[in-house]
Amino acid sequence: MPKYVKFAVQALFYAAFVAAIGVFSAWPVYRQIPEDSAQIKLSFNHGGGRLQDCRKLTSEELAKLPSTQRRPNNCARERQPIAVQMLVDGAPIYDAVLKPSGLSGDGQAETYKKFIVPAGKHTIVARLRDSKRTEGFDYESSFEVDLAPQQNLAIDFKAEQGGFLFR
Amino acid sequence: MDLLRRLLRYGFDTGEKLLSLAFPASWNPLLNLGALGFFFYWIVTASGIYVYIFFDTGVAQAFASVEYMTNDQWYAAGLMRSLHRYASDGLVAVMLLHILREFALDHYRGVRWFSWATGLPVLVLVYFAGISGYWLVWDKLGQYVAIVSTEWLDHLPFFGQPLARNFLSPDTLESRFFTLMIFMHIAIPLIALVVLWLHLQRIVKPRINPPIGLAIGTGLSLLVLSAVAPATSQGAANLAMVPGRIGLDWFYLGAYPLLEKLPGPATWSAAVTLFIVMAAIPWLPPMKRQRAASVDLANCNGCNRCMNDCPYNAITMQMRSDGRPFEGEAVVNPDLCVSCGICAGSCPTSTPFRRLSELVPGIDLPDRTIAAIRADTEAEGARIAGPARIMVYGCVNAGVATACRSSNVGVVTLNCTGQLPPSFIDYVISLNLADGVIIAGCTENGCYNRFGSKWTIDRLASQRDPHLRARVPRERIKAVWAGRLGVAKLRREIAALETSLKGLGPYRHHADRAVTPEDRADA
Ligand code: HEM
Ligand code: SF4
Ligand code: SF4
């Protein structure tokens, strides 16, 4: 091969190399969720009530304990599981019982879930039970939303702020 | 595994062959992948330092500062930003090819496991560095990277609160991750550099810098790419929206859609399995390898040649242990020796002219001795006949010589062309075992044992010990850098030498040539 042809082929090779780099550094384009849909993200940490009420120790029981550990109440640390439900336009999309975290079940329960829904108007109902009751819910919020395409609606829960927070 | 290696090897050999049509052997990009990796690393470092000057490290200001570079300072900081991105992509590309090539060539098993094992953390670190880089721009892509990365980590039971909660909505965003990412993005490449230094510890004179021509070619073309298609951001991050359409950098983020869509246990077990397999692969199965070189003290005069020629630092010179008045003695570390035989080819005592004593060189391969090579040479010399007899010394790694064996072509195999002491060529010609000699090895600059072909070329040119004697008629010898795909090339070269040997006629041998005082001095 004559020298200039070699250089031309080298140039072509370099061009192909950097073209591949340029192209695959941003293409093919990726779409996380379908074009005319939106995302609802439900995520919170929340600690339910104690599973058992505290019990007053009898004086005999107290006497048996080492003096440094004498406390009048005996409280089991395990927390209540938390029941959560979410409905979009009346249809349940999430229905779960969240166990408390931690080895002895004394931590907060947590969840992090994503749901893809068509963009547009929806009624979202979120419910949560963290007490000993077996039916019904301690918190319930209903929310009318008009989701734009690609919108990310976050639903958080904070008991001290009154329950579910839509943001 | 073997089939996979062969297929890959065929692919690399073909690519190398095609590229060799346009590139000089020393520039061949496929023979410089590690060096190109280093080159890209330096470009990334230099451009990274430059863009860091303009980068605002707050999560709220980062995006704007990067936009400023690309839009207002496109001719300097913007260009540097593009170089930073594209050289990082180039780094991944050549690194992945480098891994595949070392795998294909079986350079990762046996005593070479060390380079493989130290390469693996570099692979992981390079990915961490790139991912943290995309995070820092804090555009839609940065948002995507942050969310998918933290969601993926959240599959592990280590974190109390889901890390991804940090990115739930604009008002939950804190800058703690951002600060961590900036730190990681600077610290990780530095750690990688330290590991790379380890990576090369067992390799003598590693090719760290690409040849200047190749460096100019790749550097310029990256610059052109940066000017023609500047790297841009993809709109400010907004946690109230899903990133939507994003251009992914597939070199770094190719697995992200999978991490995002597939269940955590599946992706984590796949990732862990891949890592474990890659870490264990040098022993899956272990390499069946010939025994390491061994030193025969009685024949070693401590000349250092073998130590200077060993491509893997397997030989050290130590205090003489037998009381003879030499400075030192060669000692082989079998854990580093790849059994290439290059040391035997360099030892002054490896001369086939030795008849008075048994042919035991100072250093030799127990499974392919210099004595055996002489015996094969003599047997082949006795077998071949005709007007143009040729002795081919063929390296087993190229493996093309045996296919050329014929009634006038004798073939003796070597573990590496560097295993052949040049005195063998003299021996063949002056004892009239053949009319000409060919040394057939890997492609030029592509030696399986790194330096075999280079030392051979230098020895034949009398530029490196042991020299080929001046009396050897150079027109009767030829080195052919055929490579694994080079049977046809070797055949052509054999035919060409046959023709010229016929023209030259038989070499005039002197009866007293067989053993001369020179030879005795050698022995
Ligand atoms: C940026 C990353 C890397 C760079 C810059 C790099 C660079 C190099 C260089 C310069 C050499 C010496 C080549 C020579 O002179 O013959 C080498 C050898 C080697 N590399 Fe890497 N390397 C990188 C990553 C890796 C990775 C990820 C692996 C595998 C997991 C790997 C496996 C090897 C092996 C097995 C060898 C030994 C070859 C031999 O024994 O001849 N490298 N590398
Ligand atoms: S056989 Fe090769 S690797 Fe082993 S000591 Fe000799 S030159 Fe070094
Ligand atoms: S080349 Fe031979 S003589 Fe020289 S140090 Fe090595 S073994 Fe000894």
Side-chain angles (χ1 to χ4, degrees):
Chain A
M1 242 193 254
K3 213 169 182 160
Y4 63 89
V5 180
K6 284 196 179 191
F7 277 122
V9 177
Q10 287 182 18
L12 270 180
F13 169 80
Y14 289 130
F17 178 66
V18 295
I21 288 183
V23 166
F24 294 114
S25 71
W27 182 88
V29 169
Y30 175 70
R31 186 175 266 296
Q32 214 181 345
I33 62 172
E35 204 159 348
D36 44 4
S37 50
Q39 176 171 275
I40 301 174
K41 212 183 249 184
L42 172 71
S43 169
F44 60 79
N45 302 319
H46 176 58
R50 302 260 182 233
L51 202 54
Q52 287 157 353
D53 291 335
C54 293
R55 186 171 60 86
K56 272 227 162 12
L57 293 178
T58 60
S59 45
E60 295 97 86
E61 280 174 319
L62 269 179
K64 273 191 216 148
L65 288 172
S67 59
T68 49
Q69 290 179 14
R70 279 181 202 150
R71 263 180 230 103
N73 285 334
N74 176 6
C75 298
R77 295 163 66 202
E78 201 176 334
R79 286 176 188 269
Q80 204 67 247
I82 291 178
V84 200
Q85 264 187 15
M86 198 160 85
L87 294 85
V88 173
D89 304 326
I93 58 169
Y94 185 54
D95 188 351
V97 176
L98 308 172
K99 289 214 184 71
S101 63
L103 286 179
S104 40
D106 59 341
Q108 297 191 318
E110 40 161 280
T111 188
Y112 183 95
K113 291 278 169 221
K114 298 190 287 186
F115 309 95
I116 311 297
V117 295
K121 288 202 165 75
H122 296 286
T123 309
I124 299 171
V125 176
R127 301 171 176 148
L128 183 142
R129 175 172 65 233
D130 62 355
S131 66
K132 266 203 246 174
R133 62 198 282 179
T134 48
E135 268 172 50
F137 291 90
D138 300 298
Y139 299 89
E140 173 160 342
S141 301
S142 177
F143 209 75
E144 300 285 327
V145 289
D146 188 0
L147 295 176
Q150 308 295 309
Q151 186 176 339
N152 177 44
L153 175 73
I155 305 181
D156 202 347
F157 179 88
K158 290 225 157 54
E160 66 276 17
Q161 292 179 33
F164 285 101
L165 307 169
F166 288 69
R167 38 195 181 192
Chain B
M1 193 74 95
D2 195 46
L3 183 71
L4 179 65
R5 251 197 321 264
R6 273 163 200 276
L7 279 175
L8 276 173
R9 192 179 303 181
Y10 181 77
F12 275 107
D13 286 346
T14 313
E16 187 194 320
K17 200 170 170 178
L18 289 176
L19 287 172
S20 74
L21 297 176
F23 288 90
S26 61
W27 291 17
N28 198 314
L30 283 180
L31 300 178
N32 285 287
L33 293 169
L36 281 176
F38 266 98
F39 182 60
F40 289 147
Y41 180 93
W42 299 128
I43 297 183
V44 173
T45 308
S47 54
I49 292 172
Y50 192 89
V51 294
Y52 188 69
I53 300 173
F54 296 90
F55 183 69
D56 212 323
T57 53
V59 66
Q61 301 84 13
F63 178 76
S65 71
V66 178
E67 282 296 270
Y68 168 78
M69 288 187 236
T70 295
N71 298 327
D72 301 85
Q73 261 226 41
W74 54 269
Y75 47 87
L79 202 65
M80 285 295 178
R81 176 194 181 191
S82 305
L83 267 184
H84 193 64
R85 175 184 295 184
Y86 293 139
S88 313
D89 290 333
L91 174 60
V92 168
V94 294
M95 178 177 71
L96 296 180
L97 282 174
H98 169 64
I99 300 176
L100 282 179
R101 186 169 186 274
E102 300 302 346
F103 172 77
L105 290 190
D106 221 341
H107 270 165
Y108 65 102
R109 293 193 294 164
V111 301
R112 283 154 143 157
W113 67 271
F114 183 83
S115 301
W116 182 269
T118 48
L120 201 52
V122 177
L123 172 70
V124 176
L125 290 169
V126 166
Y127 270 91
F128 279 177
I131 290 165
S132 60
Y134 275 112
W135 192 313
L136 289 187
V137 180
W138 206 238
D139 61 348
K140 283 186 186 156
L141 180 59
Q143 176 185 345
Y144 176 75
V145 168
I147 292 177
V148 177
S149 308
T150 46
E151 283 175 356
W152 197 54
L153 288 174
D154 284 335
H155 291 306
L156 297 177
F158 303 147
F159 307 101
Q161 279 206 6
L163 300 175
R165 261 186 68 76
N166 200 47
F167 306 103
L168 193 59
S169 69
D171 39 316
T172 53
L173 181 66
E174 295 168 28
S175 51
R176 56 180 179 142
F177 271 113
F178 203 72
T179 319
L180 178 69
M181 280 308 132
I182 293 172
F183 173 74
M184 295 218 337
H185 192 63
I186 296 170
I188 287 176
L190 292 176
I191 299 172
L193 191 61
V194 174
V195 184
L196 275 176
W197 171 79
L198 255 181
H199 186 55
L200 302 178
Q201 279 313 293
R202 290 200 174 176
I203 294 182
V204 175
K205 298 197 201 78
R207 277 186 223 162
I208 295 177
N209 297 316
I212 186 78
L214 187 60
I216 293 176
T218 41
L220 268 184
S221 42
L222 279 181
L223 205 60
V224 170
L225 174 67
S226 303
V228 173
T232 52
S233 305
Q234 310 192 23
N238 176 6
L239 293 176
M241 302 292 281
V242 180
R245 272 168 57 91
I246 34 176
L248 280 190
D249 183 324
W250 294 90
F251 294 97
Y252 282 99
L253 306 171
Y256 266 53
L258 294 177
L259 299 187
E260 177 204 335
K261 295 280 187 296
L262 296 179
T267 48
W268 270 105
S269 45
V272 171
T273 310
L274 181 69
F275 187 83
I276 291 178
V277 167
M278 281 193 76
I281 209 171
W283 297 275
L284 294 176
M287 197 174 208
K288 281 193 231 84
R289 165 173 94 79
Q290 293 189 348
R291 281 172 287 168
S294 73
V295 174
D296 182 66
L297 257 198
N299 281 291
C300 169
N301 62 23
C303 72
N304 289 353
R305 283 188 197 171
C306 54
M307 178 188 73
N308 292 336
D309 280 8
C310 173
Y312 287 97
N313 262 337
I315 303 173
T316 47
M317 300 307 293
Q318 299 191 0
M319 280 271 285
R320 201 74 202 183
S321 59
D322 61 357
R324 290 206 295 152
F326 298 115
E327 281 221 357
E329 65 185 46
V331 175
V332 177
N333 178 350
D335 291 337
L336 299 181
C337 171
V338 301
S339 317
C340 62
I342 289 176
C343 48
S346 73
C347 185
T349 56
S350 299
T351 162
F353 290 103
R354 279 172 63 180
R355 285 289 168 200
L356 304 176
S357 56
E358 203 191 334
L359 177 46
V360 180
I363 190 163
D364 207 0
L365 290 184
D367 294 321
R368 184 63 181 147
T369 60
I370 292 291
I373 294 171
R374 182 173 73 181
D376 287 356
T377 303
E378 285 168 353
E380 284 293 272
R383 181 183 65 81
I384 53 180
R389 296 160 303 149
I390 296 177
M391 188 71 74
V392 178
Y393 286 101
C395 155
V396 287
N397 298 301
V400 286
T402 23
C404 300
R405 199 164 179 261
S406 71
S407 58
N408 71 321
V409 177
V411 172
V412 177
T413 57
L414 306 167
N415 282 17
C416 176
T417 52
Q419 190 184 13
L420 188 73
S423 49
F424 267 76
I425 303 173
D426 190 8
Y427 186 72
V428 167
I429 302 226
S430 49
L431 258 68
N432 195 22
L433 295 170
D435 302 298
V437 174
I438 283 183
I439 299 179
C442 303
T443 51
E444 192 178 346
N445 206 28
C447 173
Y448 180 81
N449 294 306
R450 304 189 62 242
F451 292 147
S453 50
K454 190 168 191 303
W455 296 164
T456 301
I457 292 170
D458 291 353
R459 288 170 188 169
L460 296 189
S462 299
Q463 284 164 0
R464 191 177 187 92
D465 281 326
H467 295 187
L468 177 64
R469 281 235 200 102
R471 73 175 185 192
V472 178
R474 297 306 201 262
E475 65 281 9
R476 290 175 184 271
I477 62 175
K478 201 182 237 178
V480 181
W481 306 112
R484 283 170 289 274
L485 303 180
V487 182
K489 178 175 180 179
L490 182 56
R491 287 226 167 89
R492 273 199 310 276
E493 297 285 353
I494 290 174
L497 186 62
E498 273 169 10
T499 317
S500 74
L501 286 176
K502 280 176 192 153
L504 286 170
Y507 182 60
R508 236 174 304 165
H509 298 277
H510 303 286
D512 60 354
R513 262 284 158 83
V515 180
T516 65
E518 246 179 318
D519 306 323
R520 291 220 177 79
D522 262 1

